[in-house]
Amino acid sequence: MKIAVIGQSLFGQEVYCHLRKEGYEVVGVFTVPDKNGLEAEKDGVPVFKFPRWREKGQALPDVVAKYQALGAELNVLPFCSQFIPMEVINAPRHGSIIYHPSLLPRHRGASAINWTLIHGDKKGGFTVFWADDGLDTGDLLLQRECEILPDDTVSTLYNRFLFPEGIKGMVQAVRLIAEGRAPRVPQPEEGATYEGIQKKETAKINWEQPAEAIHNWIRGNDKVPGAWTEACGQKLTFFNSMLNTAGLVPEGEALPIPGAHRPGVVTKAGLILFGNDDRMLLVKNIQLEDGKMIPASHFFRGEDSSALELTEAELVTMEAVRSAWKRILPNVLEVEDSTDFFKSGAASVDVVRLVEEVKELCDGVELENEDVYMATTFKDFIQLLVRKLRGDDKESECIIDYVEMTVNKLTLRMPHQLFIGGTFVDAEGAKTYETINPTDGSVICQVSLAQVSDVDKAVAAAKDAFENGLWGKISARDRGRLLYRLADLMEQHQEELATIEALDAGAVYTLALKTHVGMSIQTFRYFAGWCDKIQGSTIPINQARPNRNLTLTRKEPIGVCGIVIPWNYPLMMLSWKTAACLAAGNTVVIKPAQVTPLTALKFAELTLKAGIPKGVINILPGSGSLVGQRLSDHPDVRKIGFTGSTEVGKHIMKSCALSNVKKVSLELGGKSPLIIFADCDLSKAVQMGMSSVFFNKGENCIAAGRLFIEDSIHDQFVQKVVEEVKKMKIGNPLDRDTNHGPQNHQAHLRKLIEYCQRGVKEGATLVCGGNQVPRPGFFFEPTVFTDVEDHMFIAKEESFGPVMVISRFADGDMDTVLSRANATEFGLASGVFTRDIGKALYVSDKLEAGTVFINTYNKTDVAAPFGGFKQSGFGKDLGEAALNEYLRVKTVTFEY
């Protein structure tokens, strides 16, 4: 089948290339441009560049004759049709097909993409139809649709879907015609719309409509002709509108706009505008009446007279860019400083070409189409480009005083100051302390040490963000969107975060990557999904006859929450509590463990990048006795979430009661029993038993604090465990083959040594380990005790380290071992190994613990609630249940 391609766009060129690849014979191409010359000319295909097809409404005979001489059997027309005479449209055996960027019959005519956005269509797409003598009225051949995103522009919609999928659609249409399967579906007139080309005089903004409609009008008229309004005595044209204003606070200089519901606000992010529904939209660029395009954030600034003085290398770059301008603007004899890109004849396709050429020339400099519209003269463009190349174009970024280290083949950039109100600041009195690398005992860096006054500042910032900031005003779905973005950033930085965990907490890198960081990411994603699913209920109550009543409940955020996290899983424990807290709509002050602050501070940096509003998250490294105590006592903190020791938990609970009766959730100590019956899968029991004790160096709140082994398999179990312990590689946590790293800090190492010494003194059998490893750092040997009696210290108290405590129980004596397992004031977790499902269910029913593992251990998941019984605390992390810890229920009753 012989094809003629008629059109003048990059789209037409791509259709031509794809048709050739499919093996179709293209006999002629009509005005298809390409920056490197016409592709068709390179292929030896005849190319025609007729300046016109008609004159005074009549087809030009010589033009038609040249076309007919090609013998085309099908015309393929990307975009254009109305200027092609019917003598050409109807000439081929198969007729002509046309691409149109809307779902016909909607938006017939020119500027269809613009009108799709202006009307706020939720669905868009394109149509390939059979040409007739009407304006986009021919029979339909195929259509493809896509979702219109809230902040889509003509460019994003075109580049994401209409361009790439449209090319495929045109090729598919040709394929259907060649196979004789192409449909001809008459267009319905119902729902048909026709909109002409927008003109500047008709693009004035109507302010008496909601923010979304104003946003649609601005983005639909971007870039031509440009939606405009009158303000400050001149005509202002707005470009680059965004409806997603999550994280933006309307603080700045007011811009009065006649007819607008409220004055606009010029902020650091751009110009915030308001609809008559009081919702916000953001405009990034403004074109002044003299044609100059400026960032909207610069509207009230004077002219920038500080022109950069270029270096010799930058002058060379400038001349290379000047040459690019000359190639793109062939009608300009000489590109001077005052040469205006658009006044010299450049179109939107030339913007793309300039951006791509300059990117290639300047080794991938971050340059966008918007930048060309912002700096239209050659001088302004060079100034903008040089600022970008120097890194001077960043505006109002948070200044972070990083500590930099090259570790694990990465350059770590670690914040080390307090994080209050969206800013990294020194502590009161510039007080600091050393954070230590447990692998070798060396100092990593100095970290700011928060004082009581710093806690007060952080709480004030959190309270202001909750009561007056954007966090409480954005929709729950927008809140979820921000948390998803934060999770994505954590994932992008997961190697860096895992390396910091290894450096600061001694976590084995591979485990940190999967668990410390991996589960943190999962947690934020999980709770991001909950944000818009927190719901109350309606309740039938007795009617106040003859009137009627309606009662409903609302689940509301509590307010400012204090979160105090431990040192064993610094980032993961932060995430478990903070994600639920934020999903519920609260603001938070976080106190990381004093010995492991660095991942929390890196997390703070990522919250800025994610766009979490200032003050929503505040992080204060410091001592528990000072920072934790002040949070517990503070009258403006309404909730404390704490993970740590039972002793400190009791003290926090008392302080919360005496101060303002704060809501509290506590995840405290444990002495989790693991019962292994003789009928178990012994190999799996050994494997999981090892994990239950030695996972994360034993620094694990649910670690099996005591193993009860049925007598008949006791000796065999111990033998296999000792064999496995001997295989464990103790070493640098950053080495990929290490599976046992250093204990978290020196004081904890000393406690483990004392713990084991006491076990030996009381008569337990030390089978292996029990000592510090003779090497730098805080390494402790994986340890196994047997013959542990119920009265011994190590049978009752947790080590929080790599110490396996094994006791026997008589064969078949299930109730006695259950009684021994429950003879503790702790009830965080427990486990049982048996092949007997009845036995497993019976034991799980009788064990007094918040979590029971059956034939597994340490299997936690973000969707499963986690928390303890008895003196292991109350309240839940993870799962839907965790949200209730950060919500309050309000009952509302109507009478009507």
Side-chain angles (χ1 to χ4, degrees):
M1 185 167 62
K2 298 179 179 179
I3 296 172
V5 177
I6 305 174
Q8 47 183 10
S9 66
L10 181 61
F11 182 87
Q13 173 193 294
E14 290 297 315
V15 170
Y16 160 80
C17 292
H18 280 71
L19 289 173
R20 291 265 301 181
K21 287 179 183 176
E22 290 268 328
Y24 294 106
E25 181 184 359
V26 179
V27 295
V29 172
F30 296 81
T31 60
V32 181
D34 179 76
K35 68 179 182 182
N36 297 317
L38 293 170
E39 292 292 329
E41 289 176 337
K42 296 178 185 177
D43 296 333
V45 174
V47 175
F48 302 87
K49 298 180 180 180
F50 300 139
R52 65 179 66 87
W53 291 77
R54 307 168 185 258
E55 190 169 20
K56 296 181 180 179
Q58 300 297 314
L60 296 174
D62 58 329
V63 169
V64 174
K66 288 178 181 177
Y67 163 79
Q68 291 176 334
L70 299 173
E73 298 171 286
L74 174 69
N75 290 333
V76 174
L77 288 78
F79 281 107
C80 68
S81 64
Q82 58 256 52
F83 302 114
I84 310 300
M86 292 306 298
E87 290 88 338
V88 173
I89 293 291
N90 294 329
R93 177 164 61 94
H94 294 293
S96 301
I97 59 171
I98 302 173
Y99 171 91
H100 186 78
S102 79
L103 297 173
L104 293 174
R106 192 160 174 79
H107 306 308
R108 292 171 176 167
S111 306
I113 309 175
N114 305 69
W115 287 105
T116 297
L117 298 176
I118 289 171
H119 283 275
D121 293 356
K122 303 303 181 187
K123 295 288 184 183
F126 64 85
T127 303
V128 179
F129 68 97
W130 299 94
D132 65 3
D133 58 356
L135 183 57
D136 305 328
T137 56
D139 294 343
L140 307 179
L141 197 162
L142 66 79
Q143 290 185 316
R144 297 288 181 268
E145 71 173 36
C146 69
E147 181 183 2
I148 306 295
L149 303 178
D151 286 329
D152 259 333
T153 63
V154 172
S155 296
T156 61
L157 181 57
Y158 184 68
N159 293 331
R160 186 181 82 248
F161 185 83
L162 298 176
F163 182 86
E165 296 303 319
I167 293 165
K168 296 176 187 175
M170 288 296 278
V171 174
Q172 183 184 357
V174 171
R175 190 181 305 125
L176 291 172
I177 294 169
E179 295 170 355
R181 299 187 297 115
R184 290 178 178 264
V185 180
Q187 282 194 43
E189 284 306 308
E190 183 178 354
T193 63
Y194 169 80
E195 297 96 1
I197 298 175
Q198 268 289 71
K199 297 179 180 178
K200 192 72 175 181
E201 57 266 27
T202 60
K204 186 175 182 179
I205 298 170
N206 171 19
W207 295 103
E208 286 300 319
Q209 51 186 340
E212 185 174 359
I214 296 171
H215 163 70
N216 289 336
W217 184 259
I218 294 173
R219 66 173 176 155
N221 283 286
D222 190 343
K223 295 285 184 285
V224 178
W228 60 276
T229 191
E230 292 174 346
C232 294
Q234 62 175 313
K235 183 182 290 185
L236 303 179
T237 306
F238 297 148
F239 298 99
N240 199 355
S241 171
M242 299 173 60
L243 194 60
N244 182 6
T245 56
L248 290 181
V249 179
E251 295 177 354
E253 193 166 351
L255 174 63
I257 301 174
H261 184 64
R262 285 171 57 181
V265 182
V266 176
T267 72
K268 294 176 181 178
L271 172 63
I272 293 179
L273 301 171
F274 298 88
N276 62 9
D277 56 354
D278 267 333
R279 287 190 65 196
M280 300 189 299
L281 62 140
L282 179 71
V283 167
K284 300 288 285 186
N285 306 124
I286 299 176
Q287 187 178 45
L288 306 179
E289 196 159 10
D290 63 4
K292 182 177 178 60
M293 185 85 78
I294 62 169
S297 58
H298 292 187
F299 182 75
F300 287 115
R301 297 186 186 180
E303 287 291 322
D304 186 3
S305 58
S306 56
L308 299 177
E309 186 173 339
L310 306 190
T311 65
E312 291 186 11
E314 289 165 348
L315 289 170
V316 172
T317 300
M318 180 182 73
E319 293 309 315
V321 174
R322 193 190 304 273
S323 297
W325 277 53
K326 287 180 181 178
R327 290 192 297 274
I328 296 169
L329 305 172
N331 297 327
V332 177
L333 297 178
E334 194 64 40
V335 175
E336 300 175 347
D337 284 353
S338 59
T339 301
D340 188 286
F341 192 67
F342 296 102
K343 291 179 181 178
S344 299
S348 57
V349 69
D350 299 310
V351 173
V352 177
R353 176 179 171 183
L354 177 62
V355 168
E356 293 306 314
E357 285 203 24
V358 174
K359 279 183 180 179
E360 187 174 354
L361 179 68
C362 299
D363 195 25
V365 63
E366 290 185 10
L367 194 67
E368 299 178 2
N369 295 357
E370 298 296 329
D371 294 320
V372 182
Y373 291 102
M374 298 290 294
T376 61
T377 68
F378 183 73
K379 178 182 178 181
D380 289 345
F381 183 78
I382 290 298
Q383 290 282 310
L384 178 145
L385 176 62
V386 170
R387 290 185 192 277
K388 283 183 174 290
L389 290 171
R390 293 182 182 182
D392 294 340
D393 64 312
K394 305 297 183 187
E395 182 192 0
S396 302
E397 289 190 355
C398 177
I399 298 173
I400 303 176
D401 181 23
Y402 292 106
V403 172
E404 294 196 7
M405 299 180 69
T406 301
V407 182
N408 198 25
K409 299 181 181 178
L410 297 170
T411 299
L412 303 181
R413 306 182 75 223
M414 300 177 290
H416 62 100
Q417 297 167 290
L418 312 182
F419 184 66
I420 300 175
T423 305
F424 286 97
V425 295
D426 287 336
E428 182 73 24
K431 294 194 176 192
T432 64
Y433 70 97
E434 296 175 344
T435 187
I436 305 298
N437 182 348
T439 300
D440 58 11
S442 63
V443 175
I444 301 171
C445 64
Q446 295 287 327
V447 176
S448 293
L449 182 67
Q451 305 299 300
V452 169
S453 59
D454 297 313
V455 180
D456 292 343
K457 292 174 188 174
V459 172
K463 185 180 180 184
D464 184 62
F466 180 77
E467 295 179 350
N468 306 311
L470 191 64
W471 188 244
K473 297 180 175 64
I474 61 175
S475 70
R477 196 158 296 163
D478 286 338
R479 190 162 67 240
R481 211 174 274 130
L482 287 173
L483 295 186
Y484 275 123
R485 191 182 302 164
L486 177 57
D488 290 344
L489 283 164
M490 292 170 71
E491 188 169 53
Q492 291 169 24
H493 290 262
Q494 60 184 335
E495 290 86 0
E496 186 177 9
L497 289 166
T499 302
I500 297 173
E501 289 281 73
L503 196 68
D504 200 26
V508 172
Y509 175 74
T510 50
L511 176 66
L513 204 57
K514 178 181 183 297
T515 302
H516 292 235
V517 179
M519 195 172 186
S520 299
I521 296 165
Q522 292 175 27
T523 302
F524 271 97
R525 287 204 173 118
Y526 174 80
F527 283 108
W530 267 111
C531 287
D532 60 355
K533 300 169 189 69
I534 298 171
Q535 302 167 348
S537 58
T538 57
I539 302 170
I541 65 170
N542 290 335
Q543 309 288 355
R545 298 177 182 176
N547 292 342
R548 299 176 65 82
N549 293 99
L550 170 66
T551 293
L552 56 87
T553 59
R554 294 182 53 176
K555 292 184 178 180
E556 300 177 341
I558 295 170
V560 178
C561 299
I563 289 177
V564 182
I565 56 176
W567 43 258
N568 58 327
Y569 294 103
L571 183 64
M572 193 173 80
M573 291 295 99
L574 178 153
S575 301
W576 280 22
K577 296 184 187 302
T578 304
C581 175
L582 296 178
N586 301 286
T587 57
V588 66
V589 179
I590 301 168
K591 193 206 88 64
Q594 187 170 350
V595 292
T596 54
L598 295 181
T599 42
L601 294 173
K602 188 66 182 180
F603 169 83
E605 179 193 347
L606 298 182
T607 67
L608 287 177
K609 293 182 177 180
I612 305 291
K614 294 178 180 180
V616 171
I617 297 171
N618 306 270
I619 298 180
L620 302 177
S623 70
S625 60
L626 206 67
V627 178
Q629 185 64 55
R630 180 55 181 157
L631 285 172
S632 301
D633 292 337
H634 204 293
D636 290 331
V637 175
R638 292 295 172 185
K639 159 71 196 266
I640 291 288
F642 171 76
T643 295
S645 72
T646 299
E647 180 185 3
V648 174
K650 289 178 179 180
H651 184 77
I652 285 176
M653 191 172 175
K654 182 178 179 181
S655 298
C656 289
L658 293 175
S659 57
N660 58 349
V661 195
K662 292 177 177 62
K663 189 172 183 177
V664 187
S665 56
L666 304 171
E667 194 244 287
L668 307 176
K671 187 65 175 173
S672 302
L674 173 57
I675 304 172
I676 299 178
F677 290 98
D679 63 353
C680 70
D681 178 338
L682 186 59
S683 295
K684 184 175 183 182
V686 169
Q687 175 196 353
M688 300 307 298
M690 292 280 294
S691 175
S692 75
V693 175
F694 301 123
F695 188 84
N696 197 47
K697 313 161 291 175
E699 296 169 352
N700 188 18
C701 52
I702 57 172
R706 192 175 180 192
L707 278 68
F708 294 92
I709 313 298
E710 199 160 9
D711 199 51
S712 58
I713 63 166
H714 174 276
D715 293 348
Q716 189 180 2
F717 180 88
V718 172
Q719 179 187 347
K720 287 180 176 292
V721 163
V722 173
E723 290 172 356
E724 292 301 315
V725 167
K726 290 178 180 178
K727 297 176 186 176
M728 292 176 68
K729 166 71 183 300
I730 302 172
N732 188 325
L734 291 170
D735 292 344
R736 301 307 191 262
D737 59 346
T738 293
N739 45 35
H740 189 78
Q743 305 310 135
N744 188 276
H745 52 280
Q746 191 170 44
H748 182 52
L749 175 64
R750 293 195 193 104
K751 286 183 179 180
L752 288 174
I753 294 170
E754 293 170 2
Y755 184 91
C756 291
Q757 288 172 347
R758 187 160 179 179
V760 171
K761 184 178 180 180
E762 291 186 347
T765 300
L766 179 61
V767 178
C768 63
N771 298 300
Q772 181 175 356
V773 179
R775 59 173 290 166
F778 311 139
F779 291 86
F780 190 77
E781 296 173 338
T783 300
V784 178
F785 277 102
T786 61
D787 302 320
V788 178
E789 302 297 332
D790 294 355
H791 68 277
M792 294 178 180
F793 176 80
I794 64 173
K796 295 186 290 185
E797 299 295 331
E798 70 173 332
S799 68
F800 213 66
V803 181
M804 183 177 286
V805 176
I806 299 176
S807 300
R808 294 172 180 265
F809 69 95
D811 289 343
D813 196 355
M814 185 161 49
D815 288 329
T816 298
V817 75
L818 276 170
S819 177
R820 294 170 68 192
N822 286 329
T824 173
E825 272 300 301
F826 301 109
L828 189 57
S830 60
V832 56
F833 277 81
T834 176
R835 284 192 172 98
D836 186 335
I837 187 64
K839 187 186 296 183
L841 290 171
Y842 179 81
V843 172
S844 67
D845 185 49
K846 295 296 183 182
L847 284 170
E848 297 170 0
T851 296
V852 181
F853 298 110
I854 299 176
N855 294 328
T856 187
Y857 209 88
N858 287 325
K859 181 58 181 173
T860 55
D861 187 89
V862 294
F866 178 90
F869 295 167
K870 299 188 283 189
Q871 291 195 43
S872 287
F874 53 85
K876 296 294 182 184
D877 290 326
L878 304 180
E880 181 182 3
L883 292 168
N884 295 326
E885 305 297 332
Y886 297 94
L887 293 166
R888 62 187 184 189
V889 178
K890 178 183 288 182
T891 302
V892 182
T893 298
F894 298 83
E895 187 165 318
Y896 57 97

